Amino acid sequence: MRIISVEQTADQLGVKTDRVYELCRQGFLPHVRLGRQVRIVEEQLHEWLLKGGQPLACGWRHDPQAKLDEIRKRGSK
């Protein structure tokens, strides 16, 4: 099991860290708190992506398999 930071999560998702914090705060993104620090279990992040995440009311959509393929490609470098 690998626990990653908000910065690492933002990099994998291609978003800013503020967006990751907001997704965690709103309960969309699975995360754990270690005191004041927010961490994401990488396997849970990948599972969440494969399930398509939880859509936002504004209609946030993405192709979870394509995103997972992109993440795996980055990790193999």
Side-chain angles (χ1 to χ4, degrees):
M1 173 171 46
R2 183 169 177 231
I3 298 175
I4 59 176
S5 68
V6 168
E7 290 79 13
Q8 291 169 311
T9 303
D11 184 51
Q12 286 191 19
L13 295 176
V15 298
K16 294 183 179 184
T17 56
D18 290 345
R19 184 68 175 137
V20 175
Y21 281 118
E22 185 65 25
L23 289 170
C24 291
R25 190 173 22 260
Q26 293 177 350
F28 290 112
L29 187 61
H31 65 283
V32 294
R33 287 187 141 307
L34 303 173
R36 293 179 57 190
Q37 298 178 355
V38 175
R39 295 291 185 259
I40 290 86
V41 177
E42 195 169 35
E43 290 83 8
Q44 289 179 345
L45 174 63
H46 292 171
E47 184 179 324
W48 181 75
L49 286 170
L50 282 173
K51 291 180 179 178
Q54 185 171 349
L56 300 176
C58 64
W60 175 40
R61 297 180 186 166
H62 66 279
D63 179 2
Q65 188 59 50
K67 188 51 116 174
L68 185 58
D69 292 342
E70 181 182 329
I71 291 168
R72 286 182 177 151
K73 187 189 304 184
R74 284 186 203 167
S76 65
K77 289 182 182 177

